[in-house]
Amino acid sequence: MSSINPTPRDYNTARVLEVVLSHAPLTRNKLIESTGLSKATVSRAVEDLRSHGFVVDGGVDDVVGRGRPSTYLDVPETAGHVVGVGFGAVTTGVLVTDLRGREIGHVVVPTVEHHDVPAGGRWLADLVAQTSASARGPRRQIVVALPAHVRDSTEVLRPADPMKIFSGRDLHRILEELLDTPVTFDSDANASLLQVLTDDVSIHNAALFSLSSTVNFATCRDRELARGRTPAFGDIGSLSSGVDDRTLNGMLSTAGLAKLAREHGLDTERVEDLWLMPPDHQARAEILKAFTTAVTTAVSVVAVTLDPESVYFVGRLRPLVEEALPEVRRRLEHSLPAVPRITTVSQVLGLSVARGAVHAGLAMTHDRLQDALLKARAQGPQQEQAAPTF
């Protein structure tokens, strides 16, 4: 069949699809207001989308005063679902939502230690399949966020020590083969920052440090995440911490902090034991002082080079950051002409990163569906469908 170029009507339908996916349930009047299209154009687009299986009638809007009630337009569950995964060194969370972002299911489990990539890939694929078993419609996208740097959305670079075996592209290949779904990898810091941006639409330029099994860093400009062009981008953990010859990763990761504690004679079973000790404990006080210096150094680097409005800290070391922040701010006020807003963000272990990954997956899926709608023009007119036609 020869291809047919999309018409203005097709582009209008794609625009309506974008708004419906992002804001449903909504009335036709709200849809007209959001798209800036005429009532007739929106009505035609809605019927086109209904024939493709992407729009159904929802509830009825209450009307105050005279006038007919307006029916809400919604996206059916059969339109598909996306999966966000927070694949951490200690905990793994999987969250499944429909294309509106409504939760279908989630699970948070301890990360099982594997000694080869195929076994780890099968374990993670099974976890995704089990969590999404009740979902209806096609699985559109999976986004996996890891404590690592990621190149080209597929290659794992410099992961946390417990996950060294997953370096490279093999895990990505295995997951796509086992799950038969587009899979994108990203860093846990990017997923966390995306969740922060979703929660607060007033944020435009920001930086975020994820301090857990390794140090990960993310930044955005005008709400767009920065990806960089080389594998070195974001590897802030390799920079000097300002404490002896230690790097930021050696001071601001759980492994680095545990090593420092042992050097000070503290045999703590968990790094969390540090902030449970009395504040006046000498060794603890020395560790906190060094940690404060490292946090100050990290914020100074991004403040000078990126000029963010806000700097966020997340991860297992967040409680220690909160303790250090008053002194960090005091030091920065003496060394910087302007100090960004510095704050910590509490997270649900295993689930918050997965939620950020879901937001990334929804954005990818929405863009892909608009492109698919325009390409479907070449297939000719469609009959009304109970399930999506693309």
Side-chain angles (χ1 to χ4, degrees):
M1 180 184 297
S2 60
S3 62
I4 304 173
N5 291 329
T7 65
R9 174 172 174 171
D10 298 319
Y11 284 105
N12 288 337
T13 303
R15 170 62 179 147
V16 170
L17 175 62
E18 175 191 12
V19 174
V20 169
L21 288 173
S22 300
H23 300 290
L26 76 172
T27 64
R28 290 174 186 262
N29 287 339
K30 185 64 177 178
L31 189 52
I32 292 168
E33 177 186 336
S34 299
T35 60
L37 301 173
S38 70
K39 180 178 180 179
T41 298
V42 167
S43 294
R44 286 193 297 268
V46 167
E47 294 313 307
D48 285 345
L49 293 174
R50 192 190 304 277
S51 72
H52 285 297
F54 281 97
V55 167
V56 293
D57 291 329
V60 176
D61 186 21
D62 292 332
V63 175
V64 177
R66 303 174 64 180
R68 291 190 305 170
S70 180
T71 301
Y72 279 106
L73 300 172
D74 208 346
V75 181
E77 293 181 359
T78 51
H81 57 282
V82 300
V83 182
V85 182
F87 187 26
V90 176
T91 304
T92 295
V94 178
L95 175 64
V96 182
T97 75
D98 66 11
L99 298 191
R100 263 187 51 197
R102 294 172 292 195
E103 180 177 329
I104 296 171
H106 77 267
V107 65
V108 178
V109 298
T111 301
V112 175
E113 183 178 358
H114 294 286
H115 300 289
D116 63 81
V117 179
R122 288 192 297 271
W123 176 80
L124 192 56
D126 287 345
L127 198 61
V128 169
Q130 293 165 12
T131 311
S132 57
S134 64
R136 302 173 62 192
R139 189 162 50 219
R140 299 283 184 177
Q141 178 71 50
I142 300 169
V143 176
V144 181
L146 312 93
H149 299 268
V150 174
R151 179 167 58 184
D152 300 331
S153 301
T154 59
E155 184 178 7
V156 179
L157 301 171
R158 301 184 299 283
D161 287 341
M163 305 182 75
K164 288 292 187 184
I165 64 166
F166 296 116
S167 297
R169 300 179 185 270
D170 287 348
L171 180 61
H172 182 271
R173 174 183 55 78
I174 290 169
L175 289 177
E176 284 207 326
E177 289 177 355
L178 292 175
L179 294 167
D180 191 26
T181 305
V183 177
T184 296
F185 282 179
D186 208 343
S187 72
D188 57 359
N190 277 342
S192 295
L193 182 53
L194 188 54
Q195 180 62 48
V196 169
L197 294 174
T198 302
D199 290 340
D200 189 346
V201 297
S202 69
I203 300 169
H204 292 275
N205 307 321
L208 179 143
F209 291 92
S210 178
L211 309 185
S212 289
S213 51
T214 190
V215 175
N216 253 340
F217 171 74
T219 184
C220 68
R221 175 67 58 178
D222 293 328
R223 298 184 63 81
E224 289 292 326
L225 295 184
R227 301 290 180 180
R229 292 171 294 183
T230 69
F233 179 80
D235 191 17
I236 200 167
S238 63
L239 300 179
S240 172
S241 67
V243 180
D244 302 328
D245 59 350
R246 301 175 193 271
T247 64
L248 286 175
N249 198 52
M251 282 297 308
L252 300 181
S253 67
T254 55
L257 205 59
K259 179 181 178 182
L260 182 64
R262 288 193 297 271
E263 292 174 1
H264 281 76
L266 299 179
D267 188 19
T268 55
E269 293 185 7
R270 305 177 312 141
V271 71
E272 286 84 356
D273 294 338
L274 274 176
W275 46 87
L276 297 177
M277 299 175 62
D280 58 352
H281 189 287
Q282 182 176 353
R284 183 193 187 281
E286 292 175 356
I287 293 171
L288 178 62
K289 181 179 179 180
F291 183 82
T292 301
T293 297
V295 172
T296 305
T297 300
V299 176
S300 296
V301 169
V302 301
V304 170
T305 59
L306 300 174
D307 193 28
E309 300 164 333
S310 303
V311 178
Y312 298 92
F313 285 87
V314 300
R316 288 176 62 192
L317 298 186
R318 177 181 58 85
L320 204 58
V321 175
E322 290 177 344
E323 189 174 347
L325 274 185
E327 176 63 15
V328 169
R329 295 189 184 100
R330 189 190 67 79
R331 294 186 190 183
L332 290 173
E333 287 170 356
H334 285 83
S335 60
L336 295 177
V339 179
R341 184 171 72 99
I342 312 168
T343 187
T344 62
V345 179
S346 60
Q347 294 183 310
V348 179
L349 183 62
L351 197 56
S352 292
V353 171
R355 188 168 288 116
V358 158
H359 290 307
L362 287 171
M364 294 176 198
T365 300
H366 293 180
D367 289 344
R368 190 183 301 126
L369 287 175
Q370 291 178 71
D371 291 341
L373 186 151
L374 296 175
K375 291 177 182 178
R377 168 69 175 163
Q379 300 175 5
Q382 302 286 335
Q383 300 297 317
E384 187 162 330
Q385 302 287 324
T389 57
F390 53 85

